[in-house]
Amino acid sequence: MEGIKDDVGHVPLLEAEEEEEEEEGRRPLRLRGSYLGIFGSTVFLVSMAALIIYQGHDYYDEAKIENKGNNNNNYNKVPRGVAEGVSAKSNSFLSETTPSYNWTNAMLSWQRTAFHFQPERNWMNDPNGPLFHKGWYHLFYQYNPFSAVWGNITWGHAVSRDLIHWLYLPEAIVRDMWFDINGAWSGSATLLPGGEIVMLYTGYTHQQVQVQNLAYPADASDPLLLNWVKYAKNPVMVPPPGIGPNDFRDPTTAWFGPDNKWTLTLGSMLNDSGLSLVYKTTDFINYELNDHFLHIVPGTGMWECVDFYPVSINGSVGLDTSANGPGVKHVLKASLDDTKLDYYAIGTYFIENDTWIPDDPDLDVGIGLRLDYGKYYASKSFYDQNKQRRVLWGWINESDSEVADITKGWASLQTIPRTVLYDKKTGTNLLQWPVEEIESLRLSSHEFKELLVKPGTVVPLHIGPATQLDIIAEFEIELLGSEGIVNNVEGCGVGAVERSAFGPFGILAIANDQLSELTPIYFRLSNHGNGTSTITTSTSFCVDETRSSKAPDVSKQVFGSKVPVLNDEKLSLRVLVDHSIIESFAQGGRTVISSRVYPTEAIYGAARLFLFNNATDINIKASLKIWQLNSAFIRPFPFHDTQ
Ligand code: DQQ
């Protein structure tokens, strides 16, 4: 690895330790060009051998671990769960006594997505270290190589040219050292001037302590970044005095400041207050802990996967993580371990002491806005220097049972990557939108103009197959001669069955003809005060999963939140349907909801799309454009084809 350029005032990085790694025989192979073919076959043979050896034996070589010292062989005994400080299976809504459903293979096969990223098999959770390097987008992810439930956490790795079609690569960071033997947990990449890449990740040690470790590519000129070297003197950060050994994880991308130092933050907790600690470094080996927290919010519990980045309040492009100055605000996001929800707030970063405060204290991190009001957690953004945009990934877990996950052989997927911008019109929220590359999957389309949907009716949309869709919809409202109606009940109600004067109305996705399985995606409006014909007071945007499946062993929730709608705006929706996942964006991405649906009958050719209006006092006129979406190519990297 080359030293860091002097113009950013840094000392050369890690060269001595690289030698040490090589001596210990851990230096990964350098692979390029025609070696890739040999590597591919080798990986295959080694995998087969590993698989055979693994039958009845722990995969990790105990002798190798013992050589590293400090080993107490606890590494395969770690229980998983919230008590261990991790996001294990998070379907807390299903109880032990929930009756299980007789899922058929055909039903389960249909649930797998066609254009969302998910590993070929087994468990995935948080997105890690996303970056763009030499023409490739890299996504790393928390991965269990052996099962469809959380455990054995290593870093899976995949690359893409366009954020849509993906090629799986060998695992990047495995848990093979005392400082990560109980798990190579979440972390982030920092791209240094001069093209070097540093990866900081949390290791769960042999003694079950969370520490931060440094890794870097063995060969940064390799576009695929196949081989990663762990700094031999890891860990580089350990829990400071007063911080619990299990409350110290998930380092962010570092940003470079006027003090000529790199600064990063990571999540923690004191008593029940969630907080983010700030560290500074010049070489990514030695770190100083700041006196101040970046931010702390009482009552929010442990903060996981903190994300911290600038947004432009005037521009329409994303900003590099180190950008600052006039016209810049900073977003702080924390994933709340207690509730498994991702909260963010927009505010001001004070670079002089590395603290941040929210614009609106009532909408602070953990008590205000959420990135996604559905099934969504542990998100992470990165600056895409290729297209000058900030791209956000988020983990979408399953809502079915672990038994079903094990039968399916896989669990979890990542959202369609989303661009993130500050909402200049409202000044209060972010806008998230599927990356433009998703449009390359669009096939044939259907357009509907001003379809009338009367109160209490359902209108079928004859579009053919309805399992892979990109839907754009606008709704106009016509008040039915009843000036003075007041409907001051806000929110989603108990679901789309709860009628009110001005809602719910919207789309029924993944529905069968009998409407015995369906998932309403809807608006519900309310007005306050003395009742005028103008319905502007408050709009809720919701998804109702309660009738999405006849299977009892699936958690079904009503998700939703308010969405700002300005006076000159129509109500608008974008919905991506991909088998068991529906990602819905209201008002250009001000409010987003990802939901999981596991129909038993509304599958394959039986899945349909409808409009519905369950309001009592308004007509709806809906205009839609709906594209069938192709499947993405997501498969192993074709090493054998690369010469
Ligand atoms: N998942 C990782 C942790 C992180 C949690 C472990 C969030 O690093 O805090 O798999 O889902």
Side-chain angles (χ1 to χ4, degrees):
M1 188 174 192
E2 285 171 19
I4 298 170
K5 286 256 158 61
D6 284 339
D7 57 0
V8 292
H10 295 137
V11 294
L13 183 66
L14 308 174
E15 282 171 346
E17 284 69 32
E18 244 184 318
E19 292 308 315
E20 203 172 312
E21 289 287 64
E22 202 157 28
E23 273 167 29
E24 290 176 9
R26 292 198 60 257
R27 182 71 181 268
L29 294 169
R30 286 200 174 86
L31 303 168
R32 243 180 267 141
S34 58
Y35 293 110
L36 293 172
I38 301 167
F39 177 78
S41 321
T42 311
V43 165
F44 177 74
L45 291 172
V46 170
S47 314
M48 290 310 291
L51 197 66
I52 293 161
I53 293 164
Y54 179 58
Q55 310 298 318
H57 184 75
D58 194 279
Y59 172 75
Y60 296 97
D61 182 344
E62 293 172 29
K64 185 166 81 180
I65 296 156
E66 271 160 10
N67 284 341
K68 302 293 170 192
N70 292 332
N71 173 45
N72 68 359
N73 280 343
N74 268 346
Y75 53 88
N76 58 356
K77 296 181 195 134
V78 182
R80 63 198 178 83
V82 175
E84 285 69 45
V86 294
S87 299
K89 174 73 187 180
S90 48
N91 195 348
S92 50
F93 296 93
L94 291 181
S95 77
E96 303 271 302
T97 56
T98 306
S100 59
Y101 185 74
N102 194 15
W103 291 96
T104 63
N105 282 341
M107 289 171 190
L108 289 179
S109 306
W110 182 89
Q111 314 298 335
R112 188 168 171 101
T113 61
F115 56 85
H116 281 77
F117 177 80
Q118 55 182 119
E120 233 175 339
R121 61 185 67 86
N122 296 326
W123 167 272
M124 171 177 67
N125 53 296
D126 320 353
N128 291 154
L131 60 95
F132 179 80
H133 179 68
K134 295 190 184 297
W136 291 95
Y137 290 99
H138 289 252
L139 176 67
F140 305 87
Y141 47 91
Q142 295 280 283
Y143 182 55
N144 182 351
F146 307 121
S147 169
V149 297
W150 188 91
N152 307 302
I153 293 294
T154 66
W155 278 38
H157 185 191
V159 286
S160 170
R161 291 284 192 191
D162 60 3
L163 290 167
I164 299 296
H165 304 290
W166 290 92
L167 297 168
Y168 303 120
L169 292 176
E171 288 158 48
I173 299 178
V174 299
R175 52 174 198 115
D176 61 358
M177 303 290 279
W178 70 266
F179 51 75
D180 60 14
I181 195 65
N182 275 315
W185 288 1
S186 286
S188 307
T190 301
L191 307 188
L192 308 186
E196 290 172 285
I197 299 169
V198 288
M199 199 65 90
L200 288 169
Y201 71 97
T202 298
Y204 200 32
T205 71
H206 62 307
Q207 289 172 331
Q208 299 178 19
V209 175
Q210 292 167 9
V211 297
Q212 313 314 321
N213 298 322
L214 170 64
Y216 52 94
D219 175 7
S221 70
D222 170 15
L224 299 182
L225 299 174
L226 284 172
N227 297 299
W228 289 81
V229 178
K230 294 178 187 177
Y231 174 52
K233 293 190 183 145
N234 274 333
V236 291
M237 286 169 257
V238 299
I243 293 293
N246 282 312
D247 301 329
F248 185 65
R249 58 186 180 270
D250 310 334
T252 62
T253 294
W255 59 96
F256 193 69
D259 57 359
N260 281 347
K261 291 179 179 170
W262 291 95
T263 307
L264 62 97
T265 185
L266 54 86
S268 187
M269 170 174 78
L270 274 177
N271 300 317
D272 198 29
S273 298
L275 60 94
S276 53
L277 300 166
V278 176
Y279 283 88
K280 286 186 171 281
T281 184
T282 54
D283 56 9
F284 288 90
I285 293 171
N286 301 293
Y287 295 80
E288 323 149 31
L289 175 64
N290 264 19
D291 294 344
H292 298 93
F293 305 130
L294 180 69
H295 194 54
I296 178 166
V297 183
T300 53
M302 174 66 194
W303 284 7
E304 298 187 309
C305 300
V306 169
D307 202 13
F308 185 63
Y309 53 89
V311 284
S312 165
I313 57 173
N314 305 310
S316 48
V317 294
L319 296 179
D320 179 273
T321 310
S322 297
N324 205 349
V328 171
K329 283 188 182 286
H330 275 77
V331 175
L332 178 60
K333 187 274 312 189
S335 302
L336 266 53
D337 195 20
D338 287 356
T339 53
K340 298 286 180 280
L341 301 174
D342 274 23
Y343 282 87
Y344 78 93
I346 301 171
T348 304
Y349 170 46
F350 297 96
I351 204 157
E352 55 279 12
N353 62 358
D354 298 297
T355 58
W356 172 95
I357 56 163
D359 287 349
D360 179 353
D362 291 338
L363 294 179
D364 206 341
V365 178
I367 57 174
L369 301 172
R370 283 167 51 189
L371 281 177
D372 190 307
Y373 289 83
K375 192 87 183 169
Y376 181 92
Y377 194 60
S379 59
K380 183 177 297 297
S381 72
F382 75 106
Y383 176 65
D384 172 12
Q385 73 276 26
N386 184 37
K387 290 201 168 181
Q388 287 79 51
R389 59 186 172 178
R390 183 156 289 273
V391 175
L392 177 69
W393 285 99
W395 163 43
I396 302 190
N397 199 351
E398 304 295 313
S399 307
D400 62 354
S401 69
E402 283 195 347
V403 173
D405 292 345
I406 290 164
T407 314
K408 288 189 308 210
W410 58 269
S412 304
L413 48 114
Q414 303 293 337
T415 57
I416 291 301
R418 304 169 181 169
T419 54
V420 184
L421 287 173
Y422 175 79
D423 188 347
K424 286 184 263 185
K425 281 173 92 178
T426 62
T428 56
N429 55 274
L430 294 175
L431 293 173
Q432 300 172 62
W433 202 243
V435 292
E436 60 187 5
E437 289 90 336
I438 187 82
E439 292 162 30
S440 69
L441 295 179
R442 285 176 175 172
L443 300 169
S444 59
S445 64
H446 284 81
E447 219 164 335
F448 302 91
K449 288 248 158 56
E450 300 193 350
L451 282 182
L452 179 67
V453 196
K454 293 185 173 167
T457 65
V458 166
V459 174
L461 295 168
H462 299 290
I463 57 159
T467 55
Q468 294 176 212
L469 300 175
D470 186 352
I471 305 167
I472 290 187
E474 275 187 356
F475 300 92
E476 288 172 76
I477 290 160
E478 188 181 277
L479 198 64
L480 289 173
S482 38
E483 298 262 329
I485 294 176
V486 175
N487 170 46
N488 56 12
V489 184
E490 293 185 343
C492 299
V494 296
V497 287
E498 186 174 330
R499 303 187 74 174
S500 69
F502 313 129
F505 59 87
I507 284 172
L508 303 178
I510 307 288
N512 57 358
D513 275 333
Q514 302 73 29
L515 298 179
S516 56
E517 285 184 328
L518 48 84
T519 303
I521 300 147
Y522 60 94
F523 290 106
R524 206 155 169 268
L525 281 48
S526 61
N527 64 354
H528 292 285
N530 52 15
T532 68
S533 57
T534 320
I535 305 163
T536 53
T537 307
S538 148
T539 304
S540 294
F541 174 57
C542 316
V543 177
D544 174 3
E545 296 178 342
T546 55
R547 288 172 293 159
S548 60
S549 174
K550 288 190 173 173
D553 54 353
V554 171
S555 88
K556 298 161 195 159
Q557 296 185 65
V558 178
F559 293 126
S561 175
K562 281 190 195 171
V563 57
V565 183
L566 305 184
N567 284 338
D568 61 339
E569 293 178 343
K570 288 185 185 165
L571 291 169
S572 66
L573 266 187
R574 170 109 182 250
V575 181
L576 298 174
V577 177
D578 186 7
H579 297 254
S580 61
I581 172 166
I582 303 176
E583 281 186 74
S584 308
F585 304 78
Q587 301 309 116
R590 288 186 188 134
T591 301
V592 184
I593 303 173
S594 297
S595 34
R596 298 306 305 271
V597 299
Y598 303 87
T600 60
E601 293 172 7
I603 53 179
Y604 300 100
R608 305 246 180 283
L609 190 69
F610 298 84
L611 289 169
F612 83 102
N613 177 7
N614 214 16
T616 52
D617 292 84
I618 49 175
N619 277 337
I620 298 302
K621 275 193 195 154
S623 299
L624 302 99
K625 185 149 186 188
I626 303 166
W627 290 265
Q628 300 288 340
L629 284 191
N630 211 343
S631 302
F633 288 110
I634 304 178
R635 57 204 156 112
F637 192 92
F639 286 112
H640 51 281
D641 296 342
T642 312
Q643 292 303 319

